[in-house]
Amino acid sequence: MNDFAWLYDWPQYIPDLLPGLWVAIAMTCVSCLFGYVLGFFLALLVEAPSKLVSYSALVVVELGRGIPILVLLFLFYQGLPQLGVLLAPYPAAVAALTFSAAGYSSEMIRAGLGAVPKGQSEAANSLSMSVVDTYRFIVIPQAARISIPPLVNLTIIIFQATSLATVITVPEIMQQAGIIGSATFEYMSVYTAAAVLYLCITIPGAALSGYLEERMGTPKQRSKKQAIKALLPAAGKLRTAEERQLTN
Amino acid sequence: MSISHLSPNSSALEEGAPAMEGSFVSAVQLTKQFGEHKAVNDVSLDVAKGEVISIIGPSGAGKSSLIRCLNLLEVPSSGRLRIGDATVDFDTGTPSKASVRNLRNYTGMVFQSFNLFPHFTALKNVTLPQMRVHRRSKAEAEERAMQELKRVGLESKAGAYPAQCSGGQQQRIAIARALAMDPQLMLFDEPTSGLDPEIGAEILQVMRKLASDNMTMLVVTHEMEFARHVSNQVAVMVEGSIIEQGPPEQIMTAPNNIRTQKFLSAVLGR
């Protein structure tokens, strides 16, 4: 019987893990914010006309994407002190996650920028709009529609990756769960509670990403989707909702 | 090969045209090279104020490249270009940003694929460039936009997004967007090629009206009727060069160049 106690036992550990959840959320927010801004500039640099600039940026991107986050964590926390750079656990974790987020996001942002038809910036040019205005009003808003859904997915992945920061003693969910587990030996219950906490964020996150993907399609794509839905009788309700939206 | 001319029947000349060497646009020995290929090969062209020139010729002849050179969407590899008071010399390296802007301010362009901004309504498509480039206030820009949309017969579509408009409507909105910037030279790059003939006719109608309002226009087109009846001059382009230029009646009925004859017999079916 005892073997199944964890099935109803685990909720009692949630309150003890909540401080860890806030740490994980804070780490995700900070590293994604910095990471995506960095990723945006890396994307622009990769597209720069100078080969030197472009290749250097590409090297940074590939390092960010290619090195596992666990390795980055150890490099920043245990490796850098050897070079005289001493980082506390939390900044080290944020640096590692930021680096990885920058690498992945820059390719997503670059794909978004690249998917905006060339005719759009040509039209803006032909109207004498400046390069900055062309990006600000024409290219970036259209690229965002393409880039934001994958960026939301990446945010979910980064949130899950914060669990790795336990290895460098950041007091996030897993760190807390480990401490409680070793004191109570209720590993099954406490890690179940941890898993549930992660799911509380990731499942709504995935739903948001799916919604945005639907929402942010260009009007043309939207009508294509509508056409497909029109063929499926079960989607009748959805269709009218979208039609209402379109006519608004 | 340089063909200069002064249009004899351009009424705008007597009116308000600046007294600069007679022509409003003067391209001298423009060449645009893509790698080894010369898309535009040593083309010289003069356009008087109020004149409408149709550029015809087989596809791949460099017609689009030529008019894209005139607003510097393609920067020519060599040659000189003057529009109004703005002059750019391409023999002396890449032109400065300021000189590009000066030159572009004279021109408006209409594309084959419309290139409306899909995330803005028709009205915002027309107001945003005015507000950003000419620093017009929102009210001012909107008033002007409605004027131009009315001119192309689409004031009722002001609130619509491009995806909610037909191809012909989108192209008319694109024309309104260009006109609201006060261009003195309108460049049309096959404006009706992406549309079916019936819809194309409504675009040509708008262009006719523009021509009769004395707008200076350069039109790359396959519409021989338009070339014949609306333009003052027809230029025939083959393999990057203008091989023949003259009044439409002469080009259409009695072309001098054997390749013009070949091209016309192919498109006119005679």
Side-chain angles (χ1 to χ4, degrees):
Chain A
M1 277 312 259
N2 238 357
D3 288 350
F4 296 100
W6 63 271
L7 275 174
Y8 50 83
D9 224 16
W10 60 265
Q12 62 171 304
Y13 295 105
I14 295 269
D16 296 324
L17 296 181
L18 277 181
L21 176 65
W22 307 137
V23 171
I25 289 174
M27 269 201 290
T28 308
C29 292
V30 176
S31 16
C32 286
L33 189 74
F34 287 134
Y36 298 168
V37 171
L38 210 63
F40 173 74
F41 286 110
L42 281 171
L44 293 185
L45 291 179
V46 170
E47 294 292 324
S50 151
K51 279 238 157 72
L52 181 73
V53 174
S54 162
Y55 281 129
S56 324
L58 206 59
V59 166
V60 177
V61 169
E62 290 308 326
L63 290 180
R65 299 200 316 159
I67 305 174
I69 291 178
L70 191 59
V71 178
L72 287 173
L73 285 167
F74 281 120
L75 273 174
F76 282 113
Y77 185 60
Q78 292 188 318
L80 285 186
Q82 233 179 331
L83 306 179
V85 183
L86 217 73
L87 289 179
Y90 185 75
V94 166
L97 292 169
T98 298
F99 191 48
S100 191
Y104 279 106
S105 66
S106 95
E107 291 295 274
M108 291 167 182
I109 291 164
R110 196 157 70 96
L113 293 173
V116 178
K118 216 174 152 234
Q120 290 291 307
S121 43
E122 281 184 353
N125 278 342
S126 78
L127 294 159
S128 298
M129 286 174 71
S130 68
V131 178
V132 174
D133 277 1
T134 302
Y135 264 85
R136 179 171 158 205
F137 295 103
I138 310 302
V139 178
I140 292 175
Q142 292 184 63
R145 284 162 185 259
I146 301 158
S147 298
I148 284 178
L151 286 178
V152 172
N153 278 330
L154 180 59
T155 309
I156 297 168
I157 292 170
I158 295 289
F159 172 70
Q160 290 173 314
T162 58
S163 62
L164 296 169
T166 184
V167 299
I168 60 167
T169 72
V170 175
E172 46 66 70
I173 301 174
M174 287 304 286
Q175 184 79 9
Q176 309 278 25
I179 291 167
I180 297 166
S182 58
T184 62
F185 291 102
E186 295 289 347
Y187 285 111
M188 197 61 201
S189 305
V190 77
Y191 284 126
T192 300
V196 168
L197 276 187
Y198 282 108
L199 288 173
C200 283
I201 300 294
T202 53
I203 288 178
L208 174 70
S209 138
Y211 169 76
L212 289 176
E213 238 162 77
E214 182 87 354
R215 211 31 243 275
M216 293 217 163
T218 61
K220 224 181 205 166
Q221 284 168 333
R222 201 147 58 208
S223 56
K224 219 181 271 169
K225 261 180 209 158
Q226 271 185 300
I228 293 166
K229 271 182 191 151
L231 298 173
L232 306 169
K237 257 189 194 160
L238 267 171
R239 200 169 72 236
T240 48
E242 273 213 350
E243 270 168 7
R244 227 176 293 133
Q245 205 180 43
L246 267 181
T247 48
N248 274 345
Chain B
M1 185 190 65
S2 144
I3 302 160
S4 301
H5 72 278
L6 267 174
S7 170
N9 53 352
S10 168
S11 55
L13 256 183
E14 294 102 23
E15 289 169 16
M20 303 172 297
E21 298 157 7
S23 62
F24 176 61
V25 180
S26 149
V28 182
Q29 296 181 309
L30 282 188
T31 295
K32 175 64 193 180
Q33 206 156 348
F34 294 106
E36 287 296 292
H37 175 64
K38 282 183 177 167
V40 177
N41 192 359
D42 199 20
V43 168
S44 296
L45 182 72
D46 284 281
V47 189
K49 193 93 186 166
E51 194 172 35
V52 177
I53 299 189
S54 292
I55 303 170
I56 63 172
S59 30
K63 308 181 296 290
S64 290
S65 296
L66 174 63
I67 72 164
R68 288 163 64 88
C69 278
L70 296 184
N71 71 348
L72 305 189
L73 281 187
E74 307 288 355
V75 178
S77 319
S78 63
R80 265 171 299 138
L81 176 60
R82 179 179 60 74
I83 302 179
D85 289 327
T87 311
V88 184
D89 192 337
F90 304 104
D91 297 329
T92 53
T94 330
S96 73
K97 263 189 187 167
S99 62
V100 171
R101 203 172 328 117
N102 277 341
L103 206 111
R104 261 188 200 150
N105 276 337
Y106 278 101
T107 65
M109 188 170 210
V110 175
F111 300 85
Q112 182 181 343
S113 49
F114 328 138
N115 294 346
L116 287 181
F117 307 132
H119 55 307
F120 294 145
T121 59
L123 183 66
K124 185 132 190 226
N125 263 279
V126 187
T127 53
L128 181 87
Q130 296 183 62
M131 290 161 69
R132 299 306 303 176
V133 179
H134 292 329
R135 302 280 156 197
R136 289 181 189 150
S137 72
K138 192 168 181 222
E140 221 179 331
E142 277 179 357
E143 196 193 326
R144 181 61 194 273
M146 290 313 290
Q147 256 174 31
E148 295 301 343
L149 285 172
K150 200 167 177 184
R151 187 159 161 184
V152 299
L154 283 178
E155 69 267 52
S156 65
K157 282 283 177 183
Y161 284 90
Q164 298 166 313
C165 300
S166 71
Q169 291 170 339
Q170 289 189 45
Q171 190 63 298
R172 278 145 71 195
I173 295 164
I175 292 172
R177 180 175 71 177
L179 290 175
M181 302 298 283
D182 303 319
Q184 300 189 44
L185 168 69
M186 282 291 284
L187 305 169
F188 290 86
D189 189 2
E190 301 198 23
T192 59
S193 298
L195 302 165
D196 53 55
E198 198 186 344
I199 306 293
E202 76 188 41
I203 304 299
L204 294 173
Q205 193 54 43
V206 170
M207 290 167 65
R208 269 203 187 89
K209 220 166 87 190
L210 263 182
S212 66
D213 290 345
N214 272 325
M215 176 61 81
T216 314
M217 292 159 64
L218 272 176
V219 186
V220 170
T221 186
H222 294 294
E223 303 279 349
M224 292 303 143
E225 282 304 299
F226 178 88
R228 184 166 189 162
H229 296 296
V230 183
S231 43
N232 313 94
Q233 291 273 321
V234 172
V236 186
M237 218 172 156
V238 172
E239 285 174 15
S241 305
I242 293 181
I243 56 166
E244 188 165 4
Q245 184 177 356
E249 278 309 314
Q250 182 244 309
I251 300 275
M252 297 286 179
T253 53
N256 295 322
N257 194 300
I258 180 98
R259 290 163 95 179
T260 309
Q261 290 166 17
K262 243 194 205 159
F263 171 71
L264 286 173
S265 72
V267 289
L268 299 174
R270 15 172 233 238

